[in-house]
Amino acid sequence: MIRCLAIDDEPLALKQLASYIQKIPFLQLVGSCDSAIEARRIMEEEMVDAIFIDINMPDLNGMEFVKSLSAPPLVVFTTAYSEYAIDGFKVDAVDYLLKPFGLDDMKRAANKVKRQYDLINAANGTAAAPAAIDDADDGILFLKTEHRVVRVDISHIRYIEGMSEYLRIHFDDGNRPLVVLLSMKKIEERLPRNSFMRVHRSYIINLSKIQEVNKNRVIMDADTYLPIGDLYREAFNAYLDSKFLGK
Protein backbone atom coordinates (compact mmCIF):
# COMPACT_ATOMS: atom_id res chain seq x y z
CA MET A 1 0.00 0.00 0.00
CA ILE A 2 1.16 3.52 -0.82
CA ARG A 3 0.63 5.75 2.21
CA CYS A 4 -0.88 9.08 1.15
CA LEU A 5 -1.61 12.48 2.63
CA ALA A 6 -4.40 14.72 1.28
CA ILE A 7 -3.77 18.46 1.64
CA ASP A 8 -6.23 21.23 0.70
CA ASP A 9 -7.48 24.30 2.54
CA GLU A 10 -10.99 24.01 1.03
CA PRO A 11 -13.09 21.61 3.17
CA LEU A 12 -15.20 20.21 0.31
CA ALA A 13 -12.18 19.75 -1.96
CA LEU A 14 -10.28 18.03 0.86
CA LYS A 15 -13.20 15.70 1.58
CA GLN A 16 -13.47 14.75 -2.10
CA LEU A 17 -9.72 14.21 -2.43
CA ALA A 18 -9.67 11.97 0.63
CA SER A 19 -12.67 10.05 -0.71
CA TYR A 20 -10.95 9.44 -4.05
CA ILE A 21 -7.79 8.17 -2.32
CA GLN A 22 -9.87 5.70 -0.31
CA LYS A 23 -11.49 4.35 -3.48
CA ILE A 24 -8.16 3.33 -5.03
CA PRO A 25 -7.09 -0.11 -3.76
CA PHE A 26 -3.33 0.44 -3.65
CA LEU A 27 -3.54 3.79 -1.84
CA GLN A 28 -3.91 4.19 1.92
CA LEU A 29 -5.05 7.51 3.38
CA VAL A 30 -2.97 8.28 6.47
CA GLY A 31 -4.29 11.79 7.00
CA SER A 32 -6.18 14.83 5.68
CA CYS A 33 -4.79 18.33 6.27
CA ASP A 34 -6.16 21.79 5.63
CA SER A 35 -2.73 23.44 5.59
CA ALA A 36 0.88 22.72 4.64
CA ILE A 37 1.89 23.52 8.20
CA GLU A 38 -0.31 20.72 9.54
CA ALA A 39 1.03 18.42 6.81
CA ARG A 40 4.61 19.09 7.92
CA ARG A 41 3.72 18.13 11.49
CA ILE A 42 2.15 14.86 10.36
CA MET A 43 5.07 13.99 8.10
CA GLU A 44 7.44 14.39 11.05
CA GLU A 45 5.53 11.64 12.83
CA GLU A 46 4.07 9.50 10.05
CA MET A 47 5.51 7.51 7.19
CA VAL A 48 4.19 9.13 3.99
CA ASP A 49 4.95 7.83 0.49
CA ALA A 50 2.92 10.34 -1.56
CA ILE A 51 1.08 13.62 -1.11
CA PHE A 52 -1.84 15.04 -3.08
CA ILE A 53 -1.60 18.75 -2.41
CA ASP A 54 -3.35 21.95 -3.44
CA ILE A 55 -1.08 24.81 -4.52
CA ASN A 56 -3.06 27.89 -3.49
CA MET A 57 -3.19 27.80 0.31
CA PRO A 58 -2.71 30.50 2.96
CA ASP A 59 0.45 30.84 5.06
CA LEU A 60 2.49 28.36 3.02
CA ASN A 61 1.41 27.35 -0.48
CA GLY A 62 1.81 23.83 -1.79
CA MET A 63 4.64 24.64 -4.18
CA GLU A 64 6.78 26.34 -1.52
CA PHE A 65 6.01 23.55 0.92
CA VAL A 66 7.30 20.87 -1.48
CA LYS A 67 10.42 22.95 -2.23
CA SER A 68 11.11 23.20 1.52
CA LEU A 69 11.20 19.42 2.02
CA SER A 70 14.68 17.91 2.14
CA ALA A 71 13.40 14.51 1.03
CA PRO A 72 9.94 15.03 -0.48
CA PRO A 73 7.65 12.07 -1.11
CA LEU A 74 5.97 11.55 -4.47
CA VAL A 75 3.89 14.64 -5.27
CA VAL A 76 0.66 15.23 -7.17
CA PHE A 77 -0.44 18.87 -7.26
CA THR A 78 -4.12 19.81 -7.41
CA THR A 79 -5.20 23.33 -8.33
CA ALA A 80 -7.74 25.36 -10.28
CA TYR A 81 -5.00 27.34 -12.05
CA SER A 82 -3.37 25.78 -15.11
CA GLU A 83 -0.46 28.26 -15.12
CA TYR A 84 1.11 26.34 -12.23
CA ALA A 85 1.63 23.20 -14.29
CA ILE A 86 5.14 24.07 -15.48
CA ASP A 87 6.26 25.03 -11.98
CA GLY A 88 4.86 21.74 -10.72
CA PHE A 89 7.02 19.69 -13.02
CA LYS A 90 10.08 21.79 -12.13
CA VAL A 91 9.92 20.25 -8.65
CA ASP A 92 9.57 16.75 -10.12
CA ALA A 93 5.87 16.37 -9.43
CA VAL A 94 4.50 13.04 -10.61
CA ASP A 95 1.34 14.64 -11.94
CA TYR A 96 -0.84 17.73 -11.92
CA LEU A 97 -4.63 17.60 -11.52
CA LEU A 98 -6.61 20.60 -12.70
CA LYS A 99 -9.75 21.27 -10.67
CA PRO A 100 -12.46 20.22 -10.98
CA PHE A 101 -11.27 16.67 -11.60
CA GLY A 102 -13.13 13.38 -11.36
CA LEU A 103 -12.33 9.90 -10.11
CA ASP A 104 -11.02 8.79 -13.51
CA ASP A 105 -8.53 11.66 -13.50
CA MET A 106 -7.53 10.71 -9.97
CA LYS A 107 -7.02 7.08 -11.00
CA ARG A 108 -4.71 8.10 -13.83
CA ALA A 109 -2.62 10.21 -11.45
CA ALA A 110 -2.61 7.40 -8.88
CA ASN A 111 -1.36 4.93 -11.48
CA LYS A 112 1.52 7.29 -12.28
CA VAL A 113 2.32 7.45 -8.56
CA LYS A 114 2.30 3.65 -8.34
CA ARG A 115 4.61 3.27 -11.34
CA GLN A 116 7.07 5.74 -9.84
CA TYR A 117 6.79 4.15 -6.40
CA ASP A 118 7.47 0.70 -7.84
CA LEU A 119 10.46 1.98 -9.83
CA ILE A 120 11.99 3.59 -6.76
CA ASN A 121 11.55 0.45 -4.68
CA ALA A 122 12.90 -1.77 -7.45
CA ALA A 123 15.97 0.45 -7.76
CA ASN A 124 16.55 0.39 -4.02
CA GLY A 125 15.98 -3.36 -3.72
CA THR A 126 15.56 -4.57 -0.17
CA ALA A 127 16.71 -1.17 1.05
CA ALA A 128 13.59 0.47 -0.32
CA ALA A 129 12.24 3.01 2.11
CA PRO A 130 10.29 2.55 4.17
CA ALA A 131 11.45 -0.93 5.06
CA ALA A 132 8.14 -2.36 6.19
CA ILE A 133 8.01 -6.05 6.99
CA ASP A 134 6.21 -8.06 4.34
CA ASP A 135 4.88 -11.59 4.23
CA ALA A 136 8.32 -12.95 3.32
CA ASP A 137 9.93 -11.57 6.47
CA ASP A 138 10.38 -13.67 9.60
CA GLY A 139 8.13 -11.45 11.75
CA ILE A 140 10.82 -10.78 14.34
CA LEU A 141 12.19 -7.53 15.76
CA PHE A 142 15.08 -6.95 18.13
CA LEU A 143 14.56 -3.96 20.42
CA LYS A 144 16.89 -2.38 22.95
CA THR A 145 15.51 -1.82 26.43
CA GLU A 146 17.67 -0.68 29.32
CA HIS A 147 20.91 -2.63 28.80
CA ARG A 148 19.39 -5.58 26.98
CA VAL A 149 18.44 -6.43 23.42
CA VAL A 150 15.10 -8.25 23.42
CA ARG A 151 13.62 -10.45 20.69
CA VAL A 152 10.01 -9.54 19.89
CA ASP A 153 7.58 -11.74 17.97
CA ILE A 154 5.47 -9.23 16.04
CA SER A 155 2.42 -11.50 16.00
CA HIS A 156 2.25 -11.29 19.81
CA ILE A 157 2.09 -7.48 19.89
CA ARG A 158 -1.40 -6.37 20.90
CA TYR A 159 -0.90 -2.62 20.75
CA ILE A 160 1.81 0.01 21.11
CA GLU A 161 1.49 3.08 23.30
CA GLY A 162 3.48 6.25 22.65
CA MET A 163 4.91 8.07 25.68
CA SER A 164 6.88 11.12 24.51
CA GLU A 165 10.25 9.69 23.41
CA TYR A 166 9.43 6.17 24.61
CA LEU A 167 7.09 3.38 23.55
CA ARG A 168 5.32 0.85 25.71
CA ILE A 169 4.69 -2.35 23.76
CA HIS A 170 1.83 -4.51 25.06
CA PHE A 171 1.68 -8.25 24.32
CA ASP A 172 -1.01 -10.92 24.31
CA ASP A 173 1.18 -13.80 25.52
CA GLY A 174 1.33 -12.87 29.20
CA ASN A 175 4.64 -11.03 29.01
CA ARG A 176 4.75 -7.69 30.75
CA PRO A 177 4.87 -4.54 28.57
CA LEU A 178 8.23 -3.63 27.09
CA VAL A 179 9.42 -0.01 27.31
CA VAL A 180 11.85 1.11 24.61
CA LEU A 181 13.42 4.41 23.54
CA LEU A 182 11.93 4.69 20.06
CA SER A 183 9.54 6.91 18.09
CA MET A 184 6.09 5.92 16.85
CA LYS A 185 7.13 6.76 13.30
CA LYS A 186 10.19 4.51 13.46
CA ILE A 187 8.38 1.42 14.69
CA GLU A 188 5.46 2.06 12.33
CA GLU A 189 7.92 1.82 9.44
CA ARG A 190 8.92 -1.67 10.58
CA LEU A 191 5.48 -3.14 11.19
CA PRO A 192 3.50 -4.98 8.48
CA ARG A 193 0.99 -2.49 7.10
CA ASN A 194 -1.70 -5.10 6.50
CA SER A 195 -1.68 -6.07 10.20
CA PHE A 196 -1.01 -2.87 12.14
CA MET A 197 -2.62 0.56 12.00
CA ARG A 198 -2.15 3.79 13.85
CA VAL A 199 -5.52 4.86 15.27
CA HIS A 200 -4.37 7.74 17.45
CA ARG A 201 -1.35 9.96 17.91
CA SER A 202 -0.37 7.70 20.83
CA TYR A 203 -1.57 4.24 19.73
CA ILE A 204 -0.78 1.64 17.07
CA ILE A 205 -2.93 -1.49 17.19
CA ASN A 206 -2.66 -5.02 15.88
CA LEU A 207 -5.80 -5.24 13.75
CA SER A 208 -6.14 -8.96 14.38
CA LYS A 209 -6.48 -8.32 18.13
CA ILE A 210 -9.52 -6.02 17.94
CA GLN A 211 -12.48 -7.38 19.89
CA GLU A 212 -14.96 -4.58 19.29
CA VAL A 213 -15.31 -1.02 17.99
CA ASN A 214 -17.63 1.16 20.04
CA LYS A 215 -18.19 4.71 18.77
CA ASN A 216 -14.80 6.41 19.00
CA ARG A 217 -13.01 3.60 20.81
CA VAL A 218 -11.29 0.38 19.87
CA ILE A 219 -11.79 -2.34 22.46
CA MET A 220 -8.81 -4.68 22.65
CA ASP A 221 -9.98 -6.56 25.75
CA ALA A 222 -12.22 -6.08 28.77
CA ASP A 223 -9.80 -3.59 30.33
CA THR A 224 -8.35 -1.85 27.29
CA TYR A 225 -10.31 0.87 25.45
CA LEU A 226 -8.20 2.88 23.00
CA PRO A 227 -9.37 6.19 21.47
CA ILE A 228 -9.61 6.77 17.73
CA GLY A 229 -8.07 10.13 16.85
CA ASP A 230 -9.71 12.51 14.38
CA LEU A 231 -6.68 12.39 12.11
CA TYR A 232 -6.83 8.59 11.80
CA ARG A 233 -10.59 8.01 11.76
CA GLU A 234 -11.05 8.03 7.98
CA ALA A 235 -8.35 5.43 7.35
CA PHE A 236 -9.61 3.23 10.19
CA ASN A 237 -13.22 3.44 9.01
CA ALA A 238 -12.08 2.52 5.51
CA TYR A 239 -10.43 -0.59 6.96
CA LEU A 240 -13.64 -1.49 8.82
CA ASP A 241 -15.71 -0.96 5.68
CA SER A 242 -13.44 -3.34 3.76
CA LYS A 243 -14.11 -6.06 6.37
CA PHE A 244 -17.74 -5.30 7.13
CA LEU A 245 -20.35 -7.91 6.33
CA GLY A 246 -23.95 -6.84 6.63
CA LYS A 247 -26.36 -4.08 5.72
Side-chain angles (χ1 to χ4, degrees):
M1 297 287 281
I2 301 173
R3 297 169 60 87
C4 302
L5 199 60
I7 310 164
D8 199 308
D9 65 309
E10 299 176 7
L12 291 178
L14 181 59
K15 184 177 180 180
Q16 182 185 60
L17 182 58
S19 173
Y20 284 167
I21 290 173
Q22 291 176 320
K23 289 177 180 177
I24 298 173
F26 53 83
L27 300 184
Q28 178 184 347
L29 181 68
V30 298
S32 298
C33 314
D34 61 8
S35 72
I37 294 172
E38 183 186 0
R40 188 189 301 279
R41 179 183 63 78
I42 293 173
M43 291 174 67
E44 289 173 353
E45 301 179 351
E46 296 280 353
M47 179 174 55
V48 175
D49 302 314
I51 59 175
F52 291 79
I53 181 169
D54 185 26
I55 293 178
N56 287 319
M57 294 188 294
D59 299 324
L60 180 63
N61 72 46
M63 191 71 67
E64 293 304 318
F65 171 65
V66 171
K67 289 179 180 178
S68 74
L69 298 174
S70 57
L74 299 172
V75 177
V76 174
F77 284 116
T78 67
T79 184
Y81 302 94
S82 59
E83 61 266 27
Y84 285 114
I86 294 176
D87 291 335
F89 289 111
K90 283 181 180 178
V91 295
D92 295 325
V94 175
D95 206 353
Y96 177 98
L97 288 169
L98 186 62
K99 296 179 180 178
F101 56 88
L103 181 57
D104 287 342
D105 300 313
M106 181 70 180
K107 287 179 178 178
R108 282 192 288 272
N111 284 329
K112 290 182 181 180
V113 169
K114 187 176 188 303
R115 284 195 293 271
Q116 191 68 21
Y117 177 83
D118 291 342
L119 284 172
I120 292 170
N121 282 354
N124 290 342
T126 56
I133 297 170
D134 58 28
D135 292 337
D137 211 301
D138 59 6
I140 299 298
L141 290 178
F142 285 92
L143 299 174
K144 186 174 182 181
T145 177
E146 297 175 339
H147 303 294
R148 302 176 297 140
V149 175
V150 179
R151 177 184 182 274
V152 172
D153 186 333
I154 291 173
S155 66
H156 289 313
I157 296 175
R158 195 151 52 99
Y159 68 96
I160 298 167
E161 179 182 3
M163 306 180 300
S164 186
E165 297 178 347
Y166 290 84
L167 301 178
R168 180 182 285 124
I169 302 174
H170 299 260
F171 301 97
D172 65 357
D173 57 1
N175 288 333
R176 67 178 185 176
L178 185 68
V179 177
V180 297
L181 179 61
L182 198 63
S183 70
M184 292 287 276
K185 180 178 180 180
K186 192 69 176 178
I187 199 164
E188 190 175 13
E189 290 174 354
R190 295 292 296 137
L191 294 171
R193 300 177 191 176
N194 61 340
S195 302
F196 287 82
M197 180 176 287
R198 194 163 178 178
V199 296
H200 186 274
R201 182 184 179 92
S202 301
Y203 294 104
I204 297 172
I205 64 171
N206 186 333
L207 296 167
S208 68
K209 311 295 183 183
I210 296 174
Q211 290 192 3
E212 187 178 333
V213 179
N214 188 338
K215 295 183 180 179
N216 293 324
R217 299 182 300 178
V218 180
I219 301 173
M220 306 301 290
D221 59 46
D223 300 314
T224 308
Y225 294 67
L226 305 181
I228 303 170
D230 291 340
L231 182 62
Y232 308 93
R233 185 170 290 110
E234 284 187 77
F236 183 65
N237 286 342
Y239 165 77
L240 292 181
D241 288 344
S242 72
K243 300 293 183 181
F244 186 73
L245 183 64
K247 294 182 179 180

